[in-house]
Amino acid sequence: MASNNISVLNALDNARTQWYHVTAIVIAGMGFFTDAYDLFCISTVSKLLGRIYYYDPTTGKPGKLPHSINNLVIGVALVGTLTGQLFFGYLGDKLGRKKVYGVTLVLMVICAICSGLSFGYSAKAVMGTLCFFRFWLGFGIGGDYPLSATIMSEYANKKTRGAFIAAVFAMQGVGIIFAGLVSMILSKVFLDNYGTVPFSTEHVFSTEPEADYVWRIVLMLGALPALLTFYWRMKMPETGRYTALIEGNAKQAAADMGKVLDIEIQADQDRVAQFNSSNEYKLLSHEFFKRHGRHLIGTTTTWFLLDIAFYSQNLTQKDIFPTMGLTSKAENVSALEEMFKHHALCSLSLLGTFPATGSR
């Protein structure tokens, strides 16, 4: 029995585009915006972290994160994202999209704030606590990222589903751009208020004392967009497709969707029961791979290959531009001036990320 014979799903597929669809795009899109900002803002402050915590006067050069520390600080959130996707993806299927969506949001808000409050008297302590909170931040992002896309696809109608999902994904590019813009604006504000001196003139004071506030503010601001959407996330009803097909409650699905969409829905419980009985097979089964294996393998491999370039390029631009000679040498600028000039250039180059992300 095909799923489009079920009245609830058929009504959702053929519903005209309404205001609540736009609301869902904004809510899910802000999820992608927050995920991207939180993941990529660390690369905007990593050079600043090196100059603050790893300056060695015997080298005669500005401080720089050791390669192992740099890789850990940049990559630990991605490790958390991988584990979070598996964990929250499972919970999302078992407990419902809405419940898990709220949990991931709270986790992201707490860990974004705690990342900026990383404490300790030594570089090792600060980097250790930063990595700890960044891992759990990534863990929350790992749940939020796929749930945002899933919720949007389950709310969308058939005619505009691709456009709606593309709009949600495009917000990832906006989040990356804002990570650079926020870092650039904050560093400029502090420069204008506290002045600057290049490293070649004054080694110690070229790293402004106020710079320690800048990287913390940049990281903590990642909690703001998540907080702004918390109320609306909690008001969203469970998606009709989940309630009907997974929970098997067509009546509840019809009632929930009737509250937010202007559509007529029949609660055909018998058809839902028949559909579920004819589609009872486990994830790791021959039937699953027979039906969905080719699509799953094709989708995962193309995403994997794409993200190798996408994530590595966006996370390492801080190293690419200086190597190409596009930014001033670290010895000729102060810590905050280096941050400002780099991200003024970086923000321009990242404008290409917005349309490219939307086309994914």
Side-chain angles (χ1 to χ4, degrees):
M1 179 182 178
S3 61
N4 58 6
N5 289 330
I6 300 175
S7 297
V8 175
L9 306 187
N10 190 49
L12 290 172
D13 281 339
N14 296 292
R16 61 180 175 82
T17 301
Q18 301 174 36
W19 179 249
Y20 194 77
H21 288 121
V22 178
T23 302
I25 291 174
V26 173
I27 296 172
M30 287 305 292
F32 268 73
F33 175 93
T34 306
D35 298 343
Y37 182 94
D38 285 335
L39 280 177
F40 293 100
C41 68
I42 190 65
S43 65
T44 70
V45 301
S46 60
K47 283 185 175 293
L48 192 59
L49 291 172
R51 293 186 70 141
I52 295 173
Y53 295 105
Y54 286 89
Y55 169 61
D56 183 355
T58 62
T59 64
K61 295 182 179 181
K64 183 178 180 181
L65 287 178
H67 289 301
S68 58
I69 301 297
N70 178 73
N71 294 338
L72 186 61
V73 169
I74 296 294
V76 68
L78 296 179
V79 177
T81 301
L82 172 61
T83 55
Q85 285 177 337
L86 297 174
F87 179 76
F88 287 116
Y90 174 81
L91 286 186
D93 287 339
K94 292 295 182 182
L95 303 180
R97 320 303 194 203
K98 178 183 175 180
K99 292 179 182 178
V100 179
Y101 208 33
V103 172
T104 60
L105 185 72
V106 172
L107 183 60
M108 289 164 58
V109 169
I110 293 174
C111 291
I113 294 173
C114 288
S115 294
L117 297 176
S118 298
F119 51 86
Y121 291 101
S122 65
K124 184 177 181 180
V126 174
M127 294 302 111
T129 53
L130 175 60
C131 288
F132 174 82
F133 291 122
R134 290 283 301 172
F135 172 84
W136 290 109
L137 175 64
F139 193 74
I141 292 172
D144 187 83
Y145 185 91
L147 282 172
S148 293
T150 300
I151 287 172
M152 187 66 254
S153 80
E154 292 184 353
Y155 268 114
N157 55 46
K158 185 184 295 185
K159 183 178 180 180
T160 57
R161 184 171 296 145
F164 286 174
I165 295 176
V168 170
F169 268 86
M171 292 303 292
Q172 185 179 32
V174 179
I176 297 174
I177 294 170
F178 264 77
L181 288 175
V182 168
S183 299
M184 182 181 70
I185 292 170
L186 278 176
S187 58
K188 181 61 174 175
V189 169
F190 274 76
L191 280 172
D192 290 344
N193 283 277
Y194 297 102
T196 181
V197 58
F199 180 84
S200 57
T201 302
E202 173 56 61
H203 289 191
V204 175
F205 290 103
S206 66
T207 301
E208 298 87 346
E210 298 79 16
D212 195 51
Y213 295 118
V214 175
W215 72 268
R216 296 177 184 274
I217 294 172
V218 170
L219 296 187
M220 286 192 288
L221 282 177
L224 184 59
L227 283 171
L228 292 176
T229 58
F230 180 77
Y231 173 77
W232 299 107
R233 281 199 188 192
M234 294 302 95
K235 286 197 68 175
M236 291 180 78
E238 184 59 83
T239 66
R241 288 179 171 85
Y242 179 87
T243 304
L245 295 182
I246 306 301
E247 293 185 343
N249 192 340
K251 183 178 180 180
Q252 185 63 49
D256 288 343
M257 293 301 96
K259 293 177 182 177
V260 295
L261 295 174
D262 184 18
I263 53 178
E264 292 292 333
I265 303 177
Q266 296 180 0
D268 47 0
Q269 188 65 40
D270 292 339
R271 288 186 179 182
V272 170
Q274 292 174 23
F275 175 82
N276 287 338
S277 64
S278 63
N279 288 275
E280 291 183 354
Y281 51 87
K282 295 182 179 180
L283 175 63
L284 300 178
S285 66
H286 174 73
E287 184 66 20
F288 175 85
F289 281 95
K290 180 181 177 181
R291 297 192 184 193
H292 309 293
R294 183 174 60 180
H295 306 95
L296 180 63
I297 293 172
T299 303
T300 54
T301 52
T302 50
W303 270 96
F304 175 76
L305 294 173
L306 170 71
D307 283 341
I308 290 176
F310 180 77
Y311 281 91
S312 60
Q313 186 261 342
N314 282 294
L315 288 172
T316 59
Q317 280 192 350
K318 63 183 179 61
D319 300 313
I320 294 174
F321 289 156
T323 302
M324 296 174 64
L326 297 177
T327 56
S328 302
K329 291 184 177 180
E331 290 82 357
N332 299 330
V333 291
S334 71
L336 289 178
E337 191 177 6
E338 179 183 33
M339 182 177 180
F340 170 75
K341 289 185 175 181
H342 172 75
H343 292 295
L345 176 63
C346 187
S347 295
L348 291 175
S349 70
L350 286 176
L351 290 176
T353 302
F354 173 70
T357 306
S359 66
R360 294 163 74 184

